[in-house]
Amino acid sequence: MKVSSDGLELQVEAFGEGRPFLFAHSLGGCRHQVRRMLEPLAREFRIITFDQRGHCGSTPVTDPALYDPQRMAADVGAVLDALGIAQAIVGGESMGAATTLLFATTNPKRVQHLVQVAPTVGDEPNPSEQTIVAIADFAAKYGLDAAADAVALASMSLGIPREAAGLVTEIWIHHRLDSFVAANRAVPHWVLFEDLAPVAALKVPVGVLAWGNDPSRPLPLARRLASAARRGRIETVDSLAELARTPGLYAKLLRRLLPE
């Protein structure tokens, strides 16, 4: 289904049965990726996912200024409103962690439980912001296929299996090039807060899933977020490669952070 937000159309999908759990994908990701990762949880939760603005089946966005974190956090509320959901478990990965964290701090009564997977930004900019912008510049010059293949090869050099690394290409080719470039030039520069006081003010449980050996998703930030939350907890693995090599581990670890 399509949901209107801020003059844009967002492609939304829901699957599973149980308590509503909205999950927002990472920069360059899409709802199909979320479904693949969270399918094992569909027996217990109604999972709501959507292509964030500028991504995949949602309205392309070529103005970097429209990739504003507050506006993208408001997209989360628009999706819940369209589905008639007053309160939900809310979470996301990377960029999606940022947008859902902002949504939780500005709409605390609508969030029953918050999940942050591989957070990339909080009170400081992403340490890999220039690298991510360089990927956008490479894509603008050589195309999405070439950029995805380059990232896949780099992932394989870090121990990620070929099949898992190839998913980057499978996902990125569904984006529109100019929209992808604009997102990757804007999002890495986000800074959400002056400090983590808004996280400390949250009364809901905050679960964090993170891994090491990934400069763009710094483990120290994940630990700081979990520590700042009054009801925070964290699950970690050594690397993204460990998750990629172990089918179902992502969902299994995420389930530990969700309410019983």
Side-chain angles (χ1 to χ4, degrees):
M1 64 178 289
K2 293 279 191 179
V3 169
S4 297
S5 179
D6 196 25
L8 306 171
E9 294 291 313
L10 307 175
Q11 185 68 52
V12 180
E13 179 179 352
F15 59 97
E17 300 291 337
R19 290 165 289 180
F21 175 22
L22 180 144
F23 194 89
H25 63 74
S26 60
L27 178 64
C30 69
R31 70 189 191 281
H32 304 302
Q33 180 187 23
V34 172
R35 180 163 196 143
R36 184 183 294 112
M37 295 186 301
L38 301 192
E39 191 76 51
L41 303 178
R43 294 184 297 273
E44 298 181 74
F45 301 95
R46 182 189 180 202
I47 298 169
I48 300 112
T49 185
F50 64 104
D51 293 330
Q52 296 198 77
R53 61 173 60 196
H55 287 66
C56 204
S58 292
T59 304
V61 174
T62 58
D63 180 358
L66 292 181
Y67 291 102
D68 173 78
Q70 295 286 356
R71 296 174 88 152
M72 292 181 69
D75 291 343
V76 173
V79 171
L80 292 177
D81 288 345
L83 295 174
I85 299 172
Q87 187 182 65
I89 303 164
V90 172
E93 179 181 325
S94 186
M95 178 182 75
T99 56
T100 54
L101 176 60
L102 269 181
F103 178 76
T105 58
T106 54
N107 299 270
K109 293 183 179 179
R110 302 202 67 179
V111 178
Q112 182 183 72
H113 197 108
L114 179 66
V115 176
Q116 298 283 281
V117 178
T120 57
V121 64
D123 53 352
E124 298 175 351
N126 190 306
S128 295
E129 57 181 317
Q130 296 306 320
T131 300
I132 299 169
V133 171
I135 292 172
D137 293 342
F138 185 91
K141 186 173 183 179
Y142 298 106
L144 277 175
D145 284 358
D149 289 346
V151 169
L153 286 172
S155 299
M156 289 168 60
S157 72
L158 296 175
I160 295 177
R162 179 185 297 272
E163 181 180 354
L167 293 176
V168 175
T169 305
E170 180 183 324
I171 293 167
W172 283 13
I173 61 174
H174 293 293
H175 293 76
R176 203 173 87 176
L177 175 60
D178 53 358
S179 187
F180 176 93
V181 169
N184 278 264
R185 285 175 173 165
V187 173
H189 302 304
W190 285 359
V191 176
L192 304 183
F193 314 114
E194 292 185 1
D195 54 43
L196 295 184
V199 179
L202 290 171
K203 297 179 181 180
V204 299
V206 179
V208 181
L209 172 59
W211 47 83
N213 197 31
D214 188 346
S216 68
R217 297 166 173 185
L219 184 55
L221 170 62
R223 288 179 169 148
R224 288 178 59 228
L225 285 175
S227 179
R230 65 177 74 181
R231 300 172 65 187
R233 58 171 298 192
I234 188 168
E235 293 280 347
T236 64
V237 294
D238 289 339
S239 66
L240 181 58
E242 182 180 346
L243 286 175
R245 289 194 301 263
T246 312
L249 181 58
Y250 187 102
K252 181 179 179 180
L253 293 173
L254 198 56
R255 181 63 186 89
R256 294 179 186 174
L257 298 170
L258 295 171
E260 295 298 329

